[in-house]
Amino acid sequence: MPVVTIARDQEIAVVTVDNPPVNALSQALRQGLWEAVATLDADPQVAAVVLICAGRTFIAGADVSEFGKPPMEPHLPDLVARIEGAAKPWIAAIHGSALGGGFEVAMGCRFRVALTDATVGLPEVTLGIVPGAGGTVRTPRLAGVEVAVDLATSGKPLSAEKAHNAGLIDAVAQGDLREAATAFARMALAKPLPQPVSARPVVAPGAQFWFEKEKAIVKAAKGAAAPMRALACLRYAAEAAFGEAMAYERETFLDLRGSEQADALRHVFFAERAAPRPAALREVEPQPIRSAAVVGGGTMGAGIIAALRAAGLPVILIEREDEAVTRGLANVAQIFDRAASRGTMSAAQAQALTEGVTGSTEYARLSKADLVIEAVFEDIEVKRAVFAQLGRHCRPDAVLATNTSYLDPRLIVEGLPNPERFLGLHFFSPANVMKLLEIVPVPETSARTLSTTFALARLLKKVPVQAGICEGFIGNRILKRYRAAAEGLVRQGVPIAEVDAAMRGYGFAMGPFEAQDLGGLDIAFLQREGARAAGQLVPETLGDILVRAGRKGQKTGGGWYDYTLDERRPVPSATVMELLCAEITPGVELAHPAIATALVNEMAAEGQAILDEGIADTPADIDLVEIHGYGFPRWRGGPMFATRARR
Ligand code: 3HC
Ligand code: NAI
């Protein structure tokens, strides 16, 4: 089947691209379009050309899998120029997403028509590169510099409506796109044609504009190089001639394409796409999930309910008493109300989402639920009592999951009838925001149950990673080693604030000590105390000393740092130094990169142990856990990718 076919609707030619899954611009597709221009230019019957795509989307970009290979002709910028210079005007008919090279092809067309639910964008910076076929040069000519800067430096797509308002597309259509675009073409032919985009002028902003954008972009990028390079291309596009700006953009694109950051971001791109559909489950049909229930409406339960509701599922909340039901429902309502006040959803949407949750203390209400997630106190007896009730009241095939952080799910499932439908689903806090979902099967868990929870992850738009059973599963186990190693540096005399600054310098939003102050030191402390009470040998940590002195983090006005009540800014603490002085042997001085290398090596070493024990399947899974659960900088590719040469 050819990737490009040409049909005719009287004087309008319709060029259809069909290159599944996302019509990426492979060499064959570029060649097909290149030849289509020549064919249609030579056909005197053709007055205009509609470019449309088969399948789920318009052209979604360059073919990322070709990035590691030498570029092959025809090169994309040449193809875009050829479409722009065609003797007949081309009209891009956009459905799904016109992204990166796809949007660049659309900008080579004389007009762009998009369905209402389509999006357009320049996501190249999310792959560590800049647009390579005129994205930074043509966008400001269509929509002005401000819009172009937002589009190309954030990588975030725009809805058809917003793109229309910004001048990036000419018309928004509903219904049959091919008909709408053909009708648009006939209408356009009746009027004088606009200039090709490359010939349109740009209004160049002054130096202050660039200075402010630079400041904001450096801050948001947290070490990622591509957004600043995209800004430099845009400035060139605003200030230099079209041809020079194209050459500068291409040079930047080729330079970044082979960079370490682009390599890392491609690794994450493919890992994220592989994660929701593990090969081992490809043939296993998931069970439908049409309704859900959550037991426990505290921090995690409320967040999980919000995630389930946002995916459109009706949810029942079960709590232990009426007051707790009311509190749990209020926790959920608060999540949606906050979203509405931030403007991420309308008040009506928030109300509809809230109203889709019903609360009860009666397990009998769960007789029809397809899925139940338990998020009660982290206490084995409490959890077992909950599953005893679930075993009694739920359908024998309802999927039953625990959100435990540290308890052994094998102990929770003991005595549950039909244990093949049970497993751990470890969400991260806040569960409606964090993308990571650790899926933890017990030996009895069936492939169907696993397949169903991967389907659930896709529905919730989470990044699922299967984990074996060990203390802390994948993520919290690595976190424990990371924190211990950070404490180890402090014991050797590295100042707490220097460790945090080093990890921020590496690309984390927060260092390990600041993060503990924010989350509270008491949770991990109580867990260690529990293990000690159970007779395990758990050495005293520096964190234990602080908690015993009442320093549990920001909520108590101090943890690793001091905080004034109204400010969250950490201030190095003399009290902490006094409390810890007996444990610290000064002597080691490390520069920030050495601190970061030491700590990332520790994470990777724990990751390797996790792989060796079969707790995780691939290094990429560990990278996804760290990026989506623990704020590891995406552009570093995760601890396993970042240390691959050193391991
Ligand atoms: N190149 C190669 N393969 C791609 C691809 C691309 N640009 N985009 C997606 N794919 C593949 C995925 O790897 C996946 O493969 P698999 O089925 O074998 O796992 C398959 O297409 C489907 O992808 P998704 O699961 O992501 O499909 P969705 O329907 O959920 O999403 C999408 C569709 C919104 C188009 C999403 O795939 C996407 O955002 N793709 C990336 C778009 C992008 O970044 N484009 C810019 C590329 S860089 C560029 O164009 C440079 C230029 O300026 C020169
Ligand atoms: P929480 O204390 O905020 O909420 C627990 C809720 O469970 C309370 O509302 C309580 O009333 C309810 N509950 C207790 N016993 C119950 C019973 N028998 N029946 C019905 N409801 C009952 O706790 P949180 O933080 O939400 O944690 C819940 C679970 O999620 C724990 O297993 C925890 O380890 C796990 N978890 C917590 C994370 C976090 O960051 N807080 C992250 C990931 C998992």
Side-chain angles (χ1 to χ4, degrees), residues 84 140 209 230 234 298 407 479 551 601 638:
E84 190 176 57
F209 171 88
L234 287 153
L407 297 173
L479 179 68
R551 301 184 65 95
N601 281 349

Side-chain angles (χ1 to χ4, degrees), residues 295-301 318-320 324 327 363 374-378 382-383 386 403-405 426-429:
V295 187
T299 311
M300 290 310 288
I318 299 288
E319 265 283 357
R320 21 179 199 157
R327 216 172 31 242
Y363 282 84
E374 166 277 308
V376 302
F377 299 140
E378 185 76 340
V382 177
K383 289 197 191 283
V386 166
N403 182 48
T404 182
S405 306
H426 189 215
F427 289 80
F428 289 71
S429 181

Side-chain angles (χ1 to χ4, degrees), residues 1 29 57 64 98-99 134 145 211 233 249 268 272 339 419 444 449 536 591 599:
M1 179 77 184
L29 173 53
T57 178
V64 178
L99 297 176
V145 173
F211 174 73
C233 292
E249 181 198 73
V268 180
E272 282 172 348
E444 294 93 332
T449 301
Q536 289 176 34
L599 295 185

Side-chain angles (χ1 to χ4, degrees), residues 21-22 56 60-64 97 99-101 104 123-124 127 131-132 269 273:
V22 296
R56 65 173 106 163
D63 187 338
V64 178
S97 317
L99 297 176
E104 289 170 311
E124 284 86 345
L127 288 163
F269 176 89
R273 275 158 183 83

Side-chain angles (χ1 to χ4, degrees), residues 125-126 128 221-225 260-265 268 504-508 627 632-638 641:
V125 290
T126 65
K222 294 194 186 74
E260 178 79 16
Q261 290 198 7
D263 205 9
L265 286 163
V268 180
R504 266 184 274 112
Y506 186 79
F508 281 85
I627 290 167
F632 198 97
R634 187 181 173 84
W635 56 270
R636 300 260 190 199
F641 185 87

